[in-house]
Amino acid sequence: MTSPLERHPYGEHAIVLPPKSQTTHDAADIDREIRLLMYRRLHEIRQFEKRAYDMFMQNLVKGTTHLSLGMEAVAAGFGATMREDDYTFATYRGHAHTLARGVPMEGILAELLGRSNGLLGGKGGSMHLTSVEHGMMGSYAIIGAHLTIANGAAWSAQYRGSGQVAVCFFGDGTTNIGAFHEALNYAAVFSLPVVFVCENNLYMEYTAISDITAVPRPAADRAGAYGLQPVVVDGNDADACYLAARDALEHARSGRGPVLIEALTYRHGGHSRADPGKYKPPGELEAWLAHDPLKIYRGRLERIGVPSSALDEIESQVGQAVDAATEAAKNGPLPEQALAYTDVWADGGHSWRN
């Protein structure tokens, strides 16, 4: 008997190619204003993540970062569909989803720099972005743990009859964690208004998900075990994500229970800034770069008649916003030393100091 990773040398698994068509949703029933909003979101996420990378390389970012370069369409598509009072739960790769809920760039960048004008006062960093007022209910570092928390938020909404939906994003590696199966089963049994979104970027940290998973689609192929329909979408196409999100949110909001979506996407870099990504087989990155979310979407908008000058203007405005947020973040004061004693458990864990 051999283990999966003994079947071939590390990094020499088969190349996984992106979908071939980039024109599938040209005629989709999506308002132009929503499409322009998604185009802006795509560029906000892309330019923000590039700036975060640059600042990390300048040794300005405290801790590591997990970027969503190449994965922007999932956050943009779902964010454009959600109600303001819906809930977002994300992993430590949460910059994109935080931006997609309308959280200002300055607070996020300042948080990465550990400044007091950061989203969490400089105390949470890149991996724990949270803004309850924007419906961003947290970025979670424990793999799979937040699926059960999303269930709790969904159950609260169901109990209160608020019509809110919890949308929980996670990576392909989460599908081999016990909490994934527990959360799906629980949500299905109680018909909770929750949408689970697997951002399948093909790699669970440094290992191809296909090497250690019994089914080809780690999320969708398991949907039937919980009485759910398998849904697979092109996670690099913002329109595909928007349409899937629109249907899923309507389904959950109407009381018909949870939805599980697998969005096929690809991260351009490594798992984190400590990872050069050398395990990716030759030619795979190049194939997915040709299926880049921003390239796909600009081409579509131009084909349906949006002037190139209007798209250029959006990109320029986003660039200016990123520059302004960068300066504000860099000029933010460091947290006062006394803040080290706030937002922590004290007195043997029996009281909360803030």
Side-chain angles (χ1 to χ4, degrees), residues 180 198 217-224 228-232 260-262:
F180 167 80
C198 175
R217 295 281 178 246
D221 285 349
R222 288 157 163 164
L228 305 178
Q229 294 297 316
V231 180
V232 180
L260 174 61
I261 296 173
E262 183 170 339

Side-chain angles (χ1 to χ4, degrees), residues 1-76:
M1 179 181 291
T2 60
S3 69
L5 293 181
E6 292 177 317
R7 297 170 190 161
H8 54 71
Y10 190 65
E12 293 188 9
H13 51 275
I15 294 175
V16 178
L17 298 175
K20 293 182 179 180
S21 177
Q22 299 183 4
T23 62
T24 303
H25 297 293
D26 281 10
D29 180 23
I30 303 175
D31 291 344
R32 178 172 291 205
E33 290 305 310
I34 292 176
R35 280 178 149 163
L36 291 176
L37 170 64
M38 288 195 286
Y39 189 73
R40 182 178 296 274
R41 286 284 189 255
L42 288 170
H43 276 276
E44 286 175 347
I45 297 168
R46 175 65 58 87
Q47 294 191 41
F48 178 96
E49 295 288 61
K50 285 186 173 181
R51 183 58 51 86
Y53 172 84
D54 292 342
M55 296 176 81
F56 181 90
M57 298 305 291
Q58 297 171 38
N59 201 31
L60 294 173
V61 174
K62 309 304 179 185
T64 190
T65 56
H66 302 80
L67 305 179
S68 294
L69 292 169
M71 301 171 59
E72 298 89 349
V74 178

Side-chain angles (χ1 to χ4, degrees), residues 150-169:
N151 273 352
W155 202 354
S156 168
Q158 183 186 71
Y159 179 80
R160 291 179 287 111
S162 66
Q164 294 165 285
V165 175
V167 182
C168 184
F169 301 92

Side-chain angles (χ1 to χ4, degrees), residues 98-316:
T98 307
L99 289 166
R101 293 311 305 270
V103 179
M105 291 184 190
E106 176 187 335
I108 307 174
L109 270 179
E111 187 62 35
L112 269 59
L113 271 57
R115 304 304 175 99
S116 61
N117 57 330
L119 194 58
L120 301 170
K123 300 177 71 174
S126 169
M127 297 173 67
H128 302 286
L129 298 175
T130 304
S131 180
V132 174
E133 66 177 298
H134 293 92
M136 179 59 191
M137 307 306 289
S139 304
Y140 295 78
I142 305 301
I143 305 298
H146 62 303
L147 277 71
T148 58
I149 301 173
N151 273 352
W155 202 354
S156 168
Q158 183 186 71
Y159 179 80
R160 291 179 287 111
S162 66
Q164 294 165 285
V165 175
V167 182
C168 184
F169 301 92
F170 54 92
D172 44 277
T174 298
T175 62
N176 288 330
I177 295 291
F180 167 80
H181 302 279
E182 294 172 9
L184 265 291
N185 184 67
Y186 195 92
V189 168
F190 289 97
S191 297
L192 298 182
V194 56
V195 177
F196 298 102
V197 185
C198 175
E199 297 179 275
N200 182 0
N201 61 23
L202 310 185
Y203 294 93
M204 44 176 296
E205 289 194 283
Y206 321 115
T207 302
I209 187 66
S210 59
D211 278 347
I212 47 81
T213 306
V215 290
R217 295 281 178 246
D221 285 349
R222 288 157 163 164
Y226 310 107
L228 305 178
Q229 294 297 316
V231 180
V232 180
V233 301
D234 181 356
N236 277 23
D237 187 330
D239 281 347
C241 293
Y242 176 86
L243 293 170
R246 188 170 67 184
D247 291 344
L249 285 161
E250 192 279 329
H251 179 99
R253 208 182 305 281
S254 65
R256 288 180 284 165
V259 178
L260 174 61
I261 296 173
E262 183 170 339
L264 306 180
T265 185
Y266 196 85
R267 52 175 162 81
H268 291 170
H271 171 69
S272 68
R273 285 310 320 136
D275 171 24
K278 293 183 179 180
Y279 44 81
K280 298 180 179 182
E284 187 175 78
L285 174 59
E286 291 74 15
W288 282 88
L289 286 173
H291 194 63
D292 180 85
L294 278 67
K295 175 182 177 182
I296 291 173
Y297 215 56
R298 176 160 184 136
R300 176 169 300 145
L301 293 181
E302 290 178 339
R303 286 194 298 274
I304 66 173
V306 178
S308 296
S309 58
L311 302 177
D312 291 341
E313 178 62 22
I314 289 174
E315 295 177 27
S316 176

